[in-house]
Amino acid sequence: MTQPVHCEIAVIGAGVVGVATARWLRRQGYQVLVLERDGIAAGASYGNAGTLAPYGVMPIAQPSLLRAIPSLLFSADSPFVINWARLPRLMPWLLRFLNECRASRCAANTQALATILQRTYSGYEPLLAETPLANQRLQHNGCLYAYGTPQGFTAAQAAIELRRSLGIAQQVLSSAEVEQLEPALAGRSVAGLLFPESSHMDDPKLFIETLAAPLVAEGALRKATVTAIKRAANGLHLHCAEGQHYLADRVVLCGGAWSGVLAAQMGDHIPLDTERGYHIEFDLRDTLLNRPCCPVESAFYMTPMAGRLRVAGTVELGSIHDPANPRRFDYLEQHVRRVLGLKDPVARRWLGFRPSLPDSLPVIGPSPNEPRLIYAFGHQHLGLTLAGATGQLVAECLAGTAPQWLERFSVQRF
C-alpha cells in the first residue's frame, strides 16, 4: 500500500472559507494542504452576490416568517419555495427551522451574528495586506435596500431599529435620495436604506483566486475528493475518491454543503441542508448601478460586476441532486426586467448550493468527538462576508485563544 502524504493541517475545501482559513493558518506558521474536489471557488463561493455584508445580522428564521409562510410557500411569485417531492427528507430540518423562528431564538441568533460580523473586515485585513491585488477587487460604495411600497418600508421598521440598537451603520433615504444614488431606480422606490460600510467585488471568483495565489504558488492546493476521515493514533487519515491517501495531524473541514457527510463519520450528526441558490447575468457595457441593490419585496440582489450585472437570490429548499428549476431563473429575470427595464438577453444562468443550518449560524470549532478535527462550514448567505473572520477564529481555536462567545457556534448547540 502506498504511504500516505503527511501534512500538519489539511483544509478540506477551496471555497472562500477554506482559502481564507488556509491563509490564516499559513500566517501562524502551520504547514497546510488544501484538498479540493473541483477548483478554487467552484461552488457557492462562485455564484454569490459578491457583497461583504457586515449588516447581515438578521437570521432567515424570524417570527414574522411564521405568519408569512403560507403565502411564501404557495404563491406562484415567491422568493422562497420548496420542492414538495423532497418534503419528507426536509421535514426534520424544517421543524428545527420553525423552532428558530421563535422570538427568543431569533434574538439569540441575531446577537451571535452581530458578534461575529464585527470581524468582517479585521478578519480579512492581514490577508488583503499580503495580497494587494485581491484588495483592489473590492469596491467600497455601500449596499442599498430599495423599498417599492409603503407597506414594505413599514414592515422593515423593526429590523431597522434592531440594527440601530446593535450599532450597525445605516442611513434611511427618501425616494429622491435613492434616485440620486442610483438613477436607474428612479420612480421604482418609496424609500431606501443605505449600508455605507458594505463593500462588493467586481468578480468574486477572481477575488478568491487572487486570495489563494500564495497557496497555489507554494503547491498547497491538491485536487482531491475526500470521501472518508478515519481516526488513528498518529493522526487523521483522509481517503480520496481519486485514490490518494493523506495523513494529517489536524483537519479543518470547510466543505460547504458536502460537510455533513464527513462530520457524521466522526459521530457528529449536524442538521446541515442546502439552499439552492440561483443567479443570472447580463453582459452590459454600463451595468446601470453603482453598488449592490436589493429590491426588498422581491428579495434578490443586483450587483454591478466587471462587464456584467449579476442578479442573485431567492431561496429554494430541495436536493443537491435535483436539476435546476427554470421557474427560479424566470423569477429573477422577470423581476429585474421590471425594476431596471432591461431589454438585454440573459448571458448566463447558475445554480449552486448554500450550506444552511436552521439557526442561520455557521458551525465553527472543534468536533466534540475528535478534537483534531475543526469545523468551519454552514455560512448560508454570509460565507463571503465571514470567510476572513472564520479563518481567524480557526487559527485561534488551534492556538487555544478562541473567544468564549465562539461556543455559540459550536456543533454542540444541536
Side-chain angles (χ1 to χ4, degrees):
M1 180 178 176
T2 305
Q3 288 296 311
V5 176
H6 177 261
C7 62
E8 191 171 10
I9 300 180
V11 175
I12 301 176
V16 65
V17 174
V19 167
T21 297
R23 286 285 312 279
W24 265 102
L25 295 176
R26 287 296 295 121
R27 294 188 78 252
Q28 302 303 111
Y30 293 105
Q31 183 256 331
V32 177
L33 285 182
V34 181
L35 309 180
E36 165 58 38
R37 58 187 291 169
D38 293 316
I40 297 171
S45 293
Y46 168 81
N48 51 66
T51 304
L52 298 185
Y55 58 85
V57 297
M58 303 299 294
I60 302 299
Q62 301 176 30
S64 60
L65 192 63
L66 289 174
R67 297 187 295 273
I69 277 178
S71 61
L72 285 174
L73 295 185
F74 296 103
S75 170
D77 189 36
S78 171
F80 187 109
V81 299
I82 289 179
N83 181 337
W84 293 104
R86 300 294 184 182
L87 186 60
R89 186 189 63 78
L90 290 168
M91 187 58 73
W93 190 95
L94 284 170
L95 290 175
R96 286 179 178 268
F97 177 80
L98 293 174
N99 182 58
E100 297 296 334
C101 288
R102 293 183 296 125
S104 60
R105 298 299 309 139
C106 180
N109 296 333
T110 298
Q111 185 58 59
L113 285 171
T115 301
I116 193 171
L117 282 164
Q118 291 175 5
R119 292 195 179 201
T120 296
Y121 288 107
S122 62
Y124 270 117
E125 186 176 7
L127 308 184
L128 296 177
E130 294 166 359
T131 48
L133 290 178
N135 194 34
Q136 291 174 17
R137 307 225 73 88
L138 284 175
Q139 311 293 320
H140 305 288
N141 295 331
C143 175
L144 178 66
Y145 277 13
Y147 297 91
T149 64
Q151 296 86 347
F153 186 55
T154 298
Q157 293 307 304
I160 292 173
E161 289 303 318
L162 177 57
R163 284 190 293 264
R164 183 174 290 123
S165 72
L166 293 170
I168 294 169
Q170 55 186 354
Q171 299 170 14
V172 176
L173 306 176
S174 67
S175 58
E177 290 170 325
V178 170
E179 181 177 345
Q180 185 176 10
L181 286 177
E182 297 292 350
L185 297 181
R188 308 287 185 177
S189 63
V190 300
L193 192 63
L194 178 68
F195 299 103
E197 295 180 357
S198 176
S199 304
H200 77 280
M201 49 205 64
D202 60 6
D203 191 319
K205 180 174 174 59
L206 187 55
F207 170 81
I208 300 165
E209 288 176 338
T210 308
L211 200 67
L215 301 169
V216 175
E218 63 185 37
L221 181 67
R222 305 290 177 87
K223 182 172 177 57
T225 305
V226 178
T227 56
I229 304 177
K230 296 185 178 180
R231 286 177 275 201
N234 61 343
L236 295 174
H237 290 255
L238 306 178
H239 296 270
C240 305
E242 297 83 358
Q244 309 101 307
H245 179 196
Y246 294 90
L247 173 62
D249 299 336
R250 294 184 178 94
V251 172
V252 185
L253 179 53
C254 308
W258 289 267
S259 300
V261 173
L262 293 174
Q265 295 179 11
M266 294 294 105
D268 295 322
H269 298 284
I270 301 170
L272 179 73
D273 218 302
T274 56
E275 288 182 21
R276 292 157 53 85
Y278 292 80
H279 84 220
I280 59 175
E281 290 186 337
F282 297 85
D283 288 334
L284 302 173
R285 182 173 299 176
D286 177 4
T287 55
L288 303 178
L289 301 173
N290 301 306
R291 57 186 56 76
C293 296
C294 173
V296 175
E297 289 86 353
S298 299
F300 61 83
Y301 275 72
M302 307 176 294
T303 305
M305 294 186 178
R308 64 196 191 276
L309 179 73
R310 177 175 291 181
V311 182
T314 81
V315 171
E316 182 185 44
L317 300 180
S319 168
I320 60 176
H321 304 295
D322 292 335
N325 180 351
R327 292 183 179 179
R328 294 292 86 199
F329 293 125
D330 292 344
Y331 176 92
L332 292 172
E333 183 177 355
Q334 291 167 10
H335 282 270
V336 75
R337 292 195 187 283
R338 176 182 57 80
V339 171
L340 292 181
L342 282 175
K343 303 297 183 183
D344 302 76
V346 174
R348 283 167 295 279
R349 295 174 171 84
W350 175 88
L351 165 66
F353 307 104
R354 302 187 193 106
S356 300
L357 291 149
D359 56 8
S360 299
L361 306 182
V363 173
I364 305 173
S367 162
N369 295 313
E370 176 47 76
R372 295 171 294 181
L373 175 62
I374 309 294
Y375 294 138
F377 60 82
H379 293 75
Q380 203 169 27
H381 296 259
L382 294 173
L384 195 64
T385 300
L386 290 175
T390 299
Q392 183 181 27
L393 288 164
V394 169
E396 290 174 356
C397 283
L398 293 178
T401 59
Q404 186 173 0
W405 56 258
L406 191 61
E407 293 179 2
R408 184 67 184 81
F409 297 84
S410 169
V411 66
Q412 293 177 288
R413 71 185 190 263
F414 299 114

